[in-house]
Amino acid sequence: MTLIKQRMFIERMKKRENVITMNLEENKDLTKKQEKEQKKEQKKLERAEKKQNKTPMDAAKKKKVIRRSIIGVVAGVLVLFIVISNIAAANTKPVVYTAQVSKGDIAQTLSTSGTVTSEETKTYFAPISVKVGEINVAAGGTVQKGEPVITYDQTALMNEKKTTELKLQASEGSYNSSVQKNMESIGDLGEANVNLDVLEQQITDIDNYIKELQQKVNDKKAALAYEGSLLQISLIDWADKPDSDEYENLQKLVQTNNYEQTNNKDIRAWQDEITKYTDMLSNCKEYKAEMKSQKTSADGTKLNEGGKEELEANVQMQSISSQTALDSINEVENGVLAEFNGVVTEMNVVEGATPAVGTQLFKLESTDDIKVTIEVTKYDLEKLSAGQKAVVTIAGSKYDGEVSKINKMATKNNSGAAVVSADIKILNPDEKIFLGVEAKIAVDTAKVEQTLIVPASAVNTDVDGDFVYAVEDGFVVRKPVTTGISDSMNIEITEGLEEGAQVMTEVSAGITEGMAVSAVPQE
């Protein structure tokens, strides 16, 4: 029970106590009046008795008479009190507490919690394969934009740069050498033509032999597999006699067959031979390519157009690759720099390591663009929309927020309920915010000014919809209503009531429509 509801309950109890006290005071007045009448009657009886009995009573008898008189008076008063109380209870109307329908402002708020995350995240990969010198920021540390997170060993970096420059020179020299060699190879044209015929036949023969060997491997594997399936069937047939010699023998045969399928000596020998002849075939094809290249180079006094284009393409690719490597080296001469202010959430290398090109180095998450990710159910989803303002509370500090994104696909939470995640962007982040911590969110989902409102406890619901019990001319009247938004205390009434009407804030047992009641307005 909230503090406001507790106060309202106490006030109602005080008012009920005042009504009961008033009834008791009235009963007391009636009782005192009746007591006076009894005393007068008692005195009349005493005077009459004195006249009849001239002989004075003894002290003991006198005490008995007085005691009996007092008991009679008390009993009479008690009976009278009970009768009066019953009559008063029968005639007293039930007390109900009401509130006035009034106009006011009402704001609907969605309260929940979520996790603080970054809206901008970047993963850095190794642009070069050079030894790491120093790691300046460990995982969990902060870094400012432009500061180096890691640096490379300067000696290794300079060696890599020099090597790349030499590769570029070598590529250019190789091109020049190839052109010159092409001119010198014209005399080898005859040799190339003879060798090409021989190589063509060798390649055909080797290729056919490899296919024969492969077929043997396939046939042997198929046979072993077929044998294995038959053994499995037999093993199933003997499964009801697991202790029999036949079942044990079948198990051994199955194991042997499994071994043979992967370790058969014939298959292994054929595969080794296939590998050998495949290498031979590759060499022949390579040599054939060389002879073709030699023939092409030697066919005429200059390189034909196809060979020339290929040669030029290769040298261009090598040039581009080397130049890209040089650019990467120059870019990290001062280290791998942070592109924005943030926190290093992952560090994937250590000092002294030489990561390959493309290896993940670290992950950086921005501390300038921060959000809180929340999950809402279908009941709250309809209240949420992009652009709504929010208050974000993190470790006791409050920040301005705004609904920046609502996912279009629901997921299941730990309880199995369908939820939709949404992002609340923090508009004024500072250095006190930590990523990964929990934040409390209060989103202003709706607000209406100067609308009809009643306490939320006054609205009831049944199969026919929402309704309230109003008190009109001392009688209970059921009023169907249409509600709007609500907050922790009040609810908006869009149809069914007028300003100034009195509605019951609570419906106790026995209160029905048409009943006469005594209304006690709540402040």
Side-chain angles (χ1 to χ4, degrees):
M1 184 180 293
T2 64
L3 182 60
I4 294 175
K5 288 188 175 180
Q6 288 178 348
R7 290 177 177 174
M8 292 170 63
F9 177 78
I10 292 171
E11 291 295 327
R12 289 197 300 270
M13 293 304 296
K14 286 182 177 179
K15 290 175 180 179
R16 289 179 181 175
E17 184 177 346
N18 290 337
V19 172
I20 294 170
T21 302
M22 291 170 63
N23 290 334
L24 289 176
E25 290 296 332
E26 292 177 359
N27 292 334
K28 285 181 180 179
D29 291 340
L30 292 173
T31 303
K32 289 179 179 179
K33 184 177 180 181
Q34 186 64 29
E35 186 177 353
K36 290 180 180 180
E37 294 293 332
Q38 290 287 341
K39 287 182 178 180
K40 288 180 180 180
E41 291 296 328
Q42 182 65 30
K43 288 180 180 180
K44 289 180 181 181
L45 290 173
E46 288 178 357
R47 284 195 296 268
E49 189 175 356
K50 287 180 179 179
K51 290 179 180 180
Q52 292 177 358
N53 301 315
K54 295 181 179 179
T55 303
M57 294 182 186
D58 56 25
K61 188 176 181 179
K62 186 176 181 180
K63 287 181 180 180
K64 287 181 180 180
V65 171
I66 295 173
R67 187 163 49 247
R68 288 174 182 174
S69 299
I70 293 173
I71 292 172
V73 171
V74 172
V77 171
L78 181 60
V79 171
L80 182 60
F81 177 76
I82 293 172
V83 171
I84 293 173
S85 297
N86 289 336
I87 293 172
N91 295 326
T92 301
K93 298 177 183 179
V95 176
V96 296
Y97 295 92
T98 62
Q100 184 175 350
V101 180
S102 60
K103 283 190 175 182
D105 299 341
I106 187 169
Q108 184 171 263
T109 302
L110 172 61
S111 297
T112 184
S113 61
T115 304
V116 178
T117 58
S118 178
E119 285 201 284
E120 183 177 8
T121 300
K122 177 164 183 171
T123 301
Y124 291 77
F125 298 91
I128 56 175
S129 182
V130 176
K131 179 181 177 182
V132 175
E134 294 182 357
I135 296 176
N136 301 315
V137 184
T142 58
V143 63
Q144 299 297 310
K145 180 180 179 180
E147 292 181 351
V149 178
I150 67 171
T151 56
Y152 287 100
D153 181 86
Q154 289 299 308
T155 301
L157 191 65
M158 291 301 101
N159 290 339
E160 182 67 16
K161 183 176 183 179
K162 187 64 178 177
T163 300
T164 304
E165 291 173 342
L166 291 174
K167 285 182 179 179
L168 182 59
Q169 294 176 5
S171 176
E172 294 174 350
S174 177
Y175 173 74
N176 295 330
S177 176
S178 296
V179 173
Q180 182 179 355
K181 185 177 181 179
N182 175 66
M183 298 299 295
E184 294 173 355
S185 298
I186 295 176
D188 297 334
L189 179 59
E191 180 185 1
N193 287 331
V194 174
N195 288 340
L196 282 171
D197 292 338
V198 176
L199 286 170
E200 190 70 37
Q201 186 60 47
Q202 286 181 342
I203 289 171
T204 301
D205 293 342
I206 293 171
D207 189 52
N208 290 335
Y209 186 62
I210 290 173
K211 291 178 180 178
E212 292 177 3
L213 291 173
Q214 188 61 53
Q215 186 61 44
K216 289 181 180 181
V217 171
N218 293 341
D219 292 343
K220 186 66 175 179
K221 286 184 176 180
L224 289 171
Y226 179 71
E227 180 184 350
S229 63
L230 294 177
L231 289 171
Q232 289 290 344
I233 293 172
S234 299
L235 189 65
I236 294 172
D237 292 339
W238 284 91
D240 57 344
K241 298 179 180 179
D243 297 330
S244 64
D245 294 338
E246 289 80 357
Y247 186 79
E248 293 180 359
N249 290 334
L250 283 170
Q251 285 184 318
K252 292 177 181 179
L253 290 173
V254 168
Q255 293 174 356
T256 301
N257 178 267
N258 291 337
Y259 178 81
E260 283 293 315
Q261 289 192 40
T262 55
N263 298 280
N264 181 267
K265 63 180 183 178
D266 293 335
I267 293 176
R268 295 178 65 179
W270 290 330
Q271 289 176 335
D272 291 341
E273 199 169 358
I274 288 172
T275 301
K276 181 178 72 174
Y277 277 92
T278 299
D279 292 339
M280 188 182 298
L281 179 63
S282 177
N283 292 333
C284 288
K285 288 182 178 180
E286 183 178 351
Y287 189 46
K288 178 183 175 182
E290 291 177 2
M291 290 297 98
K292 281 187 175 181
S293 176
Q294 179 176 319
K295 179 182 178 180
T296 301
S297 300
D299 190 12
T301 58
K302 62 180 180 179
L303 194 66
N304 63 34
E305 291 302 318
K308 186 177 181 180
E309 290 176 358
E310 180 181 3
L311 191 61
E312 290 177 349
N314 287 334
V315 73
Q316 286 181 11
M317 287 189 295
Q318 183 61 45
S319 176
I320 292 172
S321 176
S322 298
Q323 189 59 53
T324 300
L326 282 174
D327 292 341
S328 298
I329 292 171
N330 293 331
E331 186 178 349
V332 297
E333 279 185 336
N334 296 322
V336 181
L337 309 181
E339 297 182 24
F340 46 81
N341 300 334
V343 175
V344 176
T345 55
E346 290 183 21
M347 179 57 67
N348 307 106
V349 293
V350 295
E351 293 181 356
T354 305
V357 175
T359 301
Q360 181 171 321
L361 299 177
F362 61 90
K363 182 182 289 187
L364 181 65
E365 297 190 26
S366 173
T367 52
D368 292 333
D369 295 324
I370 298 178
K371 65 181 179 181
V372 179
T373 301
I374 62 174
E375 293 181 345
V376 296
T377 64
K378 61 181 180 181
Y379 303 104
D380 291 328
L381 182 60
E382 61 184 15
K383 305 174 185 176
L384 207 62
S385 62
Q388 290 175 333
K389 300 302 180 183
V391 176
V392 182
T393 304
I394 305 174
S397 298
K398 294 186 181 296
Y399 301 89
D400 297 329
E402 182 180 271
V403 179
S404 58
K405 177 184 175 183
I406 301 175
N407 283 350
K408 297 299 182 181
M409 183 179 70
T411 58
K412 300 287 186 180
N413 61 13
N414 295 332
S415 302
V419 293
V420 173
S421 63
D423 293 340
I424 311 298
K425 180 179 178 61
I426 298 178
L427 303 178
N428 55 337
D430 57 24
E431 68 280 357
K432 297 179 182 179
I433 297 179
F434 292 84
L435 299 180
V437 300
E438 185 180 37
K440 294 181 180 179
I441 303 295
V443 182
D444 295 331
T445 58
K447 184 177 181 180
V448 182
E449 296 180 349
Q450 291 304 299
T451 186
L452 292 180
I453 57 175
V454 297
S457 61
V459 179
N460 307 283
T461 303
D462 62 9
V463 293
D464 296 325
D466 295 333
F467 68 95
V468 299
Y469 281 121
V471 178
E472 296 180 354
D473 298 326
F475 293 92
V476 177
V477 180
R478 176 189 169 108
K479 295 276 191 178
V481 295
T482 302
T483 61
I485 66 173
S486 62
D487 58 19
S488 60
M489 295 179 59
N490 299 315
I491 188 167
E492 179 189 14
I493 302 297
T494 59
E495 289 183 13
L497 290 176
E498 295 181 357
E499 185 179 4
Q502 293 290 331
V503 294
M504 293 171 52
T505 56
E506 290 184 4
V507 181
S508 58
I511 300 297
T512 59
E513 185 177 10
M515 177 181 288
V517 294
S518 177
V520 179
Q522 291 181 331
E523 295 180 359

